[in-house]
Amino acid sequence: MTFKTRVNKVRRRVMRNITKNVGSSYTEPQKGGALNIEDIKRVLIIRPNHRLGNQLLLTPLVQEVLNTFPNCEIDLFVKGGVAYPVFENYKQVSKIIQLPRKPFSNLFKYAKSWASIKSNAYDLVINGDKNSSSGRLLTNLAKAKIKVFGDVNESIQNTYSDHLHISKYPIYNLRYNLHRLGFARNDSPIPVLDIKLTDAEIAKGKTILDDIIKNDKKTICIYTNATGDKCYSETWWETFYERLKTEYPDFNIIEMLPIENISKINFKSLNFYSQDIREMAGIMSNTSVFIAADNGVMHLASAALTPCVGFFSVTNENIYAPYGNGSVAINTNHTDINDWIKSIDGILR
């Protein structure tokens, strides 16, 4: 663990201790039939994190709000610019309030973004991450009839075995709070990650993929990079790649390259490179399975509605697992390569 990582972990822990009681004085509207679906017209969702994966993991909550309040408009409070392509086709996302990624280099813009929270009135404000200190503070600052700070009630923990998942618990929490306020109980399936590709984007992805593989076989896509300790070694990936070739001779195996344009299998397979996340998603949507360690690109494949096999060794799969579309999460500390192949078989065969 680097010095910077250790400092950030300490900083987050201190801030969580400082802000853990923020919102405790908030008084909910009284239950009694006064609130209706039609009353919720303006919604603010707060998730001030710049990472691609975390913005993609927010898409189920945005869908949940739109499914519950179909006539509402949503503002998003985020960090960095990746939310723009992620939510490009969410037409009811009205405004994206963007914190700069480096606040100390953009203090005026940073302060202006925070101040904008007080200048708008909302019917519902949701903190998208219960562990976000700034999210709790911003939720407390916001003008809103209903505020959901993100704390997971014990009854949610006792009812839903998947309540730890970072995309799911905000939805369970929202449903719990709305039901307390008199809205109808909602037990519908949790929405999956979805970047909402258009037919044209999917068709473009197929054209790009076909030009690379030049055959009619189905395709397995791998992504061999990840950040920090989540990244497996070249030896690990090369061993796994050779096994994939042996097990699936009737499939193409193609590698999506990261922004650094590196390969843990030393470019031994067909590959492609793009910095356009919607183009990347369009290509992945035309593959049969996407295989990667836990990272933002894995969540992008999941949001392209592609079955994913996610490998986990240091992060908690209960929190970050790909789900839906037949996806599986595998803890490689407790399984071996034969188990991994069985999971891939379950998707492909």
Side-chain angles (χ1 to χ4, degrees):
M1 186 184 300
T2 65
F3 175 75
K4 181 180 178 180
T5 301
R6 289 197 297 270
V7 169
N8 282 332
K9 290 187 76 169
V10 172
R11 176 186 59 79
R12 284 192 290 267
R13 186 164 61 247
V14 170
M15 286 302 297
R16 280 199 292 269
N17 287 333
I18 292 173
T19 60
K20 63 182 179 181
N21 294 319
V22 169
S24 59
S25 61
Y26 165 68
T27 303
E28 291 180 337
Q30 293 297 306
K31 179 178 177 179
L35 290 168
N36 299 295
I37 288 176
E38 294 78 15
D39 295 329
I40 308 300
K41 297 176 181 176
R42 296 203 67 200
V43 178
L44 174 66
I45 299 176
I46 298 170
R47 186 67 170 96
N49 186 286
H50 70 276
R51 293 186 179 277
L52 171 63
N54 285 321
Q55 295 304 318
L56 292 163
L57 288 160
L58 192 63
T59 59
L61 178 59
V62 172
Q63 293 172 73
E64 175 74 11
V65 170
L66 294 175
N67 291 339
T68 306
F69 307 110
N71 296 319
C72 79
E73 289 188 345
I74 297 175
D75 288 355
L76 299 177
F77 192 103
V78 298
K79 183 182 284 188
V82 75
Y84 289 97
V86 167
F87 293 99
E88 181 177 307
N89 288 337
Y90 281 79
K91 301 308 179 187
Q92 286 168 267
V93 171
S94 176
K95 183 193 300 182
I96 295 177
I97 304 167
Q98 177 191 348
L99 283 175
R101 282 189 58 178
K102 297 181 178 180
F104 293 108
S105 301
N106 300 273
L107 286 175
F108 177 75
K109 184 177 180 181
Y110 193 87
K112 185 179 178 181
S113 297
W114 273 73
S116 69
I117 290 294
K118 296 289 288 183
S119 64
N120 295 298
Y122 294 96
D123 301 303
L124 171 64
V125 173
I126 305 167
N127 176 25
D129 179 9
K130 60 185 173 63
N131 294 315
S132 170
S133 301
S134 55
R136 296 184 72 89
L137 289 169
L138 286 159
T139 302
N140 198 48
L141 279 173
K143 297 177 182 177
K145 298 175 185 175
I146 305 170
K147 297 183 180 184
V148 179
F149 283 86
D151 300 304
V152 178
N153 183 273
E154 186 176 349
S155 67
I156 296 173
Q157 299 175 30
N158 294 334
T159 303
Y160 303 103
S161 61
D162 56 355
H163 73 272
L164 289 174
H165 198 282
I166 195 169
S167 280
K168 297 180 181 182
Y169 77 72
I171 295 172
Y172 290 135
N173 192 39
L174 175 63
R175 291 178 178 182
Y176 171 82
N177 280 274
L178 292 178
H179 185 56
R180 280 167 50 89
L181 293 172
F183 289 92
R185 183 181 179 89
N186 185 354
D187 292 315
S188 60
I190 295 288
V192 298
L193 278 66
D194 192 354
I195 200 171
K196 292 191 179 295
L197 290 170
T198 64
D199 291 343
E201 288 173 322
I202 294 170
K204 179 184 176 184
K206 185 177 187 307
T207 298
I208 295 171
L209 183 62
D210 288 347
D211 189 55
I212 297 169
I213 60 178
K214 302 184 188 306
N215 61 51
D216 295 327
K217 295 193 296 185
K218 293 182 178 180
T219 299
I220 296 168
C221 186
I222 63 174
Y223 183 82
T224 63
N225 198 44
T227 56
D229 294 340
K230 293 189 292 184
C231 191
Y232 292 90
S233 68
E234 288 188 3
T235 300
W236 190 97
W237 271 110
E238 287 181 350
T239 301
F240 180 60
Y241 172 65
E242 292 301 323
R243 181 66 181 270
L244 285 177
K245 288 198 299 181
T246 301
E247 293 286 340
Y248 305 108
D250 296 328
F251 284 79
N252 302 298
I253 301 175
I254 187 170
E255 181 181 13
M256 172 175 282
L257 300 174
I259 192 168
E260 298 87 354
N261 199 24
I262 58 176
S263 168
K264 292 293 182 180
I265 58 171
N266 293 303
F267 303 96
K268 291 179 180 177
S269 75
L270 296 170
N271 58 68
F272 68 96
Y273 177 87
S274 175
Q275 294 189 40
D276 182 330
I277 69 167
R278 298 198 68 87
E279 181 177 81
M280 292 161 65
I283 296 168
M284 289 187 286
S285 72
N286 286 280
T287 63
S288 297
V289 64
F290 183 86
I291 304 172
D294 173 29
N295 62 72
V297 179
M298 178 194 74
H299 296 304
L300 179 60
S302 187
L305 308 183
T306 301
C308 293
V309 174
F311 289 126
F312 290 77
S313 59
V314 294
T315 47
N316 188 340
E317 65 270 25
N318 293 316
I319 298 176
Y320 297 108
Y323 69 95
N325 311 304
S327 296
V328 295
I330 300 173
N331 189 313
T332 56
N333 298 317
H334 310 302
T335 55
D336 61 28
I337 197 167
N338 295 316
D339 298 314
W340 313 338
I341 295 299
K342 287 179 183 177
S343 293
I344 297 168
D345 282 346
I347 295 172
L348 296 180
R349 295 173 178 167

